[in-house]
């Protein structure tokens, strides 16, 4: 581990891409139901017809001038259009996704109404080679999942965050 990684708690992906995000969780009523987590379905044409592997924690990239924690909170607001919740942040560590990007996450216990989400957008050429730019939502759907259901749809590397949340919470 580099000195910088020791200080910041993060490592660098081979291509330099790093993301950070917040995983909201709640304990639904009645008690004993287990935890639920808030995930977003990735927007844009590549994920429109996919479910498995197309759901993610609200997250985004950051550079050297920003801490992972600050990026996680900024990206939450950019992707969901809502302020990040206050509360104790449980560090979930890092995962390396298939493309090499390193993702750092924290879990925060909070409730949020998915209907209140106003997603951020991005622009891309679509269809490819057309010369036309279109705007797409960063996340086109947001919903609460039980942990087993979340494991079936989340980006595979991010399932590690669900496992770590379970360890922290004792569920």
């Amino acid at each position: 581990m580099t000195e910088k990684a020791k200080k910041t708690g993060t490592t660098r992906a081979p291509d330099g891409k790093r993301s950070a995000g917040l995983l909201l969780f709640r304990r639904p009523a009645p008690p004993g139901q287990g935890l639920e987590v808030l995930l977003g379905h990735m927007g844009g044409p590549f994920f429109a017809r996919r479910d498995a592997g197309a759901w993610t924690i609200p997250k985004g990239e950051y550079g050297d001038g920003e801490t992972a924690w600050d990026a996680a909170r900024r990206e939450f607001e950019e992707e969901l259009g809502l302020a990040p919740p206050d509360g104790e942040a449980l560090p979930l560590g890092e995962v390396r996704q298939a493309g090499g990007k390193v993702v750092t996450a924290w879990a925060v216990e909070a409730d949020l109404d998915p209907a209140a989400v106003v997603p951020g957008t991005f622009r891309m050429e679509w269809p490819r080679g057309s010369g036309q730019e279109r705007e797409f939502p960063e996340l086109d759907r947001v919903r609460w999942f039980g942990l087993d259901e979340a494991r079936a749809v989340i980006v595979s590397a991010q399932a590690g965050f669900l496992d770590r949340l379970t360890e922290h919470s004792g569920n």
Side-chain angles (χ1 to χ4, degrees), residues 60-145:
E61 292 185 12
Y62 67 101
D64 290 334
E66 186 175 29
T67 68
W69 172 247
D70 289 340
R73 294 182 55 78
R74 174 185 51 77
E75 286 291 336
F76 185 93
E77 189 159 359
E78 286 179 11
E79 292 206 353
L80 301 181
L82 302 169
D86 292 325
E88 182 184 355
L90 303 171
L92 299 178
E94 299 176 339
V95 298
R96 185 176 303 273
Q97 296 188 160
K101 181 185 290 183
V102 174
V103 181
T104 306
W106 289 265
V108 177
E109 187 169 3
D111 203 356
L112 179 149
D113 179 1
V117 170
V118 181
T121 60
F122 68 96
R123 296 186 66 76
M124 67 178 283
E125 181 185 25
W126 191 256
R128 281 190 179 169
S130 69
Q132 299 174 22
E133 278 209 355
R134 291 189 48 202
E135 189 170 79
F136 297 97
E138 295 269 357
L139 300 172
D140 59 19
R141 290 174 275 162
V142 176
R143 66 171 273 229
W144 290 98
F145 290 90

Side-chain angles (χ1 to χ4, degrees), residues 46-69:
F46 301 124
F47 300 99
R49 292 186 176 93
R50 289 182 51 198
D51 205 38
W55 292 80
T56 183
I57 66 169
K59 63 168 185 52
E61 292 185 12
Y62 67 101
D64 290 334
E66 186 175 29
T67 68
W69 172 247

Side-chain angles (χ1 to χ4, degrees), residues 37-49:
V37 294
L38 186 77
L39 300 178
H41 185 271
M42 291 182 273
F46 301 124
F47 300 99
R49 292 186 176 93

